[in-house]
Amino acid sequence: MKNKKLLNYSDYLRLDKILNSQDLMSAKRGSPAHDEMLFIVVHQVYELWFKQILHELESVIVIFKQESVIESDVSFMVLRLNRIIEIQKILIDQIRVLETMTAMDFLEFRDDLFPSSGFQSAQFRLLENKLGLLKKNRMSYGRHDYSSVIKDEEKAHVLKSENERSLFELLESWLERTPFLSFQGFNFWEQYSNAIRSMLEKEEIVIKGNPNYTKKEVEYHLVEHNNAVSAFEAMIDEKKHSKLIENKEKRLSHKATQAALLILLYRDEPILHSPFNLLSKLIDMDELFTSWRQRHALMVRRMIGSKIGTGGSSGHAYLHAAADKHKIFTDLADLSTFFIPRSALPKLPEKIKQNLGYHFKS
Ligand code: HEM
């Protein structure tokens, strides 16, 4: 006991490693660029936060993989997702720190970075795969597979994640198992469809009768409106929904979409509070990733204009398009198209309310 070495702050945090891991490439060339230190530190901080996000995400995935997810587990997942969300806000804010470096300052060392790029971040790719970004839905990057640029030591881990069940898939099967879907003789969908159809008809009248629209604008809005009508018909008809999935207009299965809508509509039922929070957090998380991508793309435009990236992509144009294409939970956010005021919602019969158990079992 006497000889036991007391734990030291620096040793515990492995500061010897962390604080000696900033190798300025410009210094190696013999011309140290002041801002390269900031560039490295900011990237390292990002990678640490990615590590923490993956740690939280993994714990959510473990819970979701259970056959039966009890109510307290759902609350637990909500807490973990909320932590990710708070970190994401910092990730977005952090870009401002890097932007204190001007485009001219960046040029002092940019050439030293070739051909390394954030595109090679294994943790970022892991995150995308674990959330549910499918290979076939990725933006193409020249003729290369996204994984071809990842370091060999890191690649196996990233490729493995492509074949694991993602958060999206786990959410989908959890929603499909929701017993709330069965209404025991109560024709919810018929009553709800009538309410939605009359809302959509009213919207069509408003578009056609809007004196401020030109003929072209009316046509434009009617196309959008008709998309909403088709999406609603697909909500009712499984075959139509499958067609949307085939055309890559939707991803979430018909059954899971219906369950998600019911959770969002009847969130006032106490049993649905946690599921509602879970869906909301997933939408928040997806939006924040998109915001980070958009914010990063804006910063890139300011730093390098329309030059190509150090990793060889078209730079800003690629990043901007990826921000739009790499969303995961858009199907959940889109459900608000079919929200109607509480007062117009079909009332759930008392028996069904009572039958809403306290857990979701498979
Ligand atoms: C001066 C600052 C920065 C510039 C000019 C820049 C530029 C770029 C460019 C042009 C790309 C596209 C791939 C390529 O051709 O290289 C890219 C991708 C990427 N960058 Fe940055 N970046 C900067 C800062 C950061 C920071 C601080 C991070 C934080 C980790 C980061 C993470 C990423 C990631 C993850 C990708 C891949 C995105 C995707 O494929 O969707 N970048 N960056």
Side-chain angles (χ1 to χ4, degrees), residues 39 42-43 46-47 50 98 101 106 117-119 121 124-125 128 141 292-293 296 299-300 303-304 308-316 318-319 322 326:
F39 186 79
V42 167
H43 277 83
Y46 267 107
E47 288 292 337
F50 290 162
L98 193 54
M101 171 180 82
F106 185 39
S117 157
F119 198 75
S121 167
F124 190 75
R125 298 304 176 212
E128 289 178 330
Y141 178 70
W292 182 82
R293 288 178 191 276
H296 171 259
M299 173 190 61
V300 169
M303 291 289 176
I304 63 170
I308 59 162
T310 49
S313 79
S314 59
H316 168 265
Y318 159 80
L319 294 166
H326 290 180

Side-chain angles (χ1 to χ4, degrees), residues 123-347:
Q123 290 204 105
F124 190 75
R125 298 304 176 212
L126 258 182
L127 196 50
E128 289 178 330
N129 288 346
K130 281 181 185 285
L131 286 174
L133 181 60
L134 297 174
K135 200 168 181 162
K136 62 176 184 189
N137 292 344
R138 281 186 178 278
M139 280 281 299
S140 67
Y141 178 70
R143 280 197 208 113
H144 304 296
D145 184 295
Y146 77 100
S147 64
S148 66
V149 293
I150 297 174
K151 238 170 106 174
D152 285 344
E153 300 89 298
E154 298 170 326
K155 202 187 291 188
H157 199 35
V158 174
L159 292 179
K160 189 168 157 264
S161 67
E162 281 181 7
N163 302 315
E164 288 165 355
R165 295 184 79 199
S166 67
L167 186 63
F168 179 92
E169 287 160 357
L170 290 163
L171 171 83
E172 184 175 60
S173 78
W174 175 74
L175 285 169
E176 285 171 353
R177 301 196 306 265
T178 305
F180 184 63
L181 267 184
S182 112
F183 279 102
Q184 299 142 347
F186 166 59
N187 204 338
F188 166 80
W189 288 107
E190 195 181 296
Q191 291 192 30
Y192 174 69
S193 303
N194 291 340
I196 288 285
R197 286 197 182 107
S198 87
M199 178 189 87
L200 291 170
E201 276 162 21
K202 271 185 211 146
E203 270 178 19
E204 190 175 333
I205 293 169
V206 170
I207 294 172
K208 286 181 176 164
N210 190 328
N212 298 324
Y213 287 162
T214 61
K215 202 171 161 234
K216 254 204 154 123
E217 281 169 334
V218 171
E219 276 166 20
Y220 170 80
H221 288 292
L222 282 179
V223 170
E224 290 291 309
H225 176 77
N226 288 337
N227 286 342
V229 173
S230 314
F232 176 68
E233 294 305 335
M235 176 83 65
I236 306 298
D237 182 338
E238 193 171 353
K239 277 199 189 128
K240 288 184 181 160
H241 191 91
S242 306
K243 201 89 207 138
L244 292 181
I245 291 182
E246 247 173 62
N247 296 341
K248 287 191 176 172
E249 288 171 56
K250 288 261 173 261
R251 181 168 170 201
L252 198 64
S253 74
H254 184 246
K255 209 171 171 191
T257 304
Q258 286 195 338
L261 181 66
L262 289 170
I263 290 170
L264 296 173
L265 289 177
Y266 289 97
R267 60 168 202 188
D268 292 342
E269 297 297 328
I271 190 71
L272 295 179
H273 284 179
S274 293
F276 165 74
N277 281 333
L278 182 70
L279 298 186
S280 303
K281 295 291 169 197
L282 291 172
I283 296 172
D284 288 347
M285 193 172 68
D286 209 30
E287 275 179 9
L288 283 163
F289 273 123
T290 306
S291 299
W292 182 82
R293 288 178 191 276
Q294 287 167 341
R295 190 64 186 83
H296 171 259
L298 281 176
M299 173 190 61
V300 169
R301 178 184 255 170
R302 179 182 182 150
M303 291 289 176
I304 63 170
S306 53
K307 290 178 188 146
I308 59 162
T310 49
S313 79
S314 59
H316 168 265
Y318 159 80
L319 294 166
H320 190 69
D324 195 43
K325 199 161 181 229
H326 290 180
K327 294 173 186 160
I328 314 276
F329 296 101
T330 4
D331 286 349
L332 292 181
D334 280 351
L335 287 173
S336 53
T337 314
F338 311 117
F339 287 2
I340 46 176
R342 277 184 181 80
S343 54
L345 273 180
K347 296 266 172 292

Side-chain angles (χ1 to χ4, degrees), residues 4-170:
K4 192 175 174 252
K5 198 173 169 246
L6 294 175
L7 186 63
N8 176 278
Y9 172 83
S10 172
D11 293 337
Y12 177 58
L13 298 175
R14 305 292 299 271
L15 294 184
D16 53 337
K17 287 215 165 193
I18 294 181
L19 299 180
N20 288 302
S21 301
Q22 293 74 35
D23 288 336
L24 275 58
M25 288 298 130
S26 55
K28 286 196 173 148
R29 179 170 44 85
S31 172
H34 178 85
D35 284 10
E36 192 179 352
M37 176 65 92
L38 176 77
F39 186 79
I40 294 175
V41 168
V42 167
H43 277 83
Q44 287 175 335
V45 172
Y46 267 107
E47 288 292 337
L48 283 175
W49 280 131
F50 290 162
K51 182 165 186 168
Q52 188 64 39
I53 292 178
L54 282 164
H55 184 62
E56 304 301 341
L57 189 58
E58 197 49 54
S59 75
V60 172
I61 285 176
V62 167
I63 297 174
F64 242 153
K65 275 185 182 160
Q66 300 172 109
E67 251 177 61
S68 170
V69 182
I70 56 169
E71 230 264 324
S72 58
D73 281 343
V74 179
S75 306
F76 207 66
M77 289 195 280
V78 169
L79 284 174
R80 294 277 156 91
L81 290 174
N82 198 44
R83 183 176 290 163
I84 295 179
I85 286 166
E86 289 308 319
I87 296 173
Q88 287 179 295
K89 292 178 191 166
I90 294 178
L91 297 188
I92 295 171
D93 243 19
Q94 214 165 268
I95 289 183
R96 290 164 50 199
V97 181
L98 193 54
E99 278 178 340
T100 60
M101 171 180 82
T102 66
M104 288 294 278
D105 295 332
F106 185 39
L107 276 182
E108 293 297 311
F109 62 93
R110 182 173 187 244
D111 285 351
D112 298 316
L113 309 176
F114 274 100
S116 81
S117 157
F119 198 75
Q120 298 164 334
S121 167
Q123 290 204 105
F124 190 75
R125 298 304 176 212
L126 258 182
L127 196 50
E128 289 178 330
N129 288 346
K130 281 181 185 285
L131 286 174
L133 181 60
L134 297 174
K135 200 168 181 162
K136 62 176 184 189
N137 292 344
R138 281 186 178 278
M139 280 281 299
S140 67
Y141 178 70
R143 280 197 208 113
H144 304 296
D145 184 295
Y146 77 100
S147 64
S148 66
V149 293
I150 297 174
K151 238 170 106 174
D152 285 344
E153 300 89 298
E154 298 170 326
K155 202 187 291 188
H157 199 35
V158 174
L159 292 179
K160 189 168 157 264
S161 67
E162 281 181 7
N163 302 315
E164 288 165 355
R165 295 184 79 199
S166 67
L167 186 63
F168 179 92
E169 287 160 357
L170 290 163

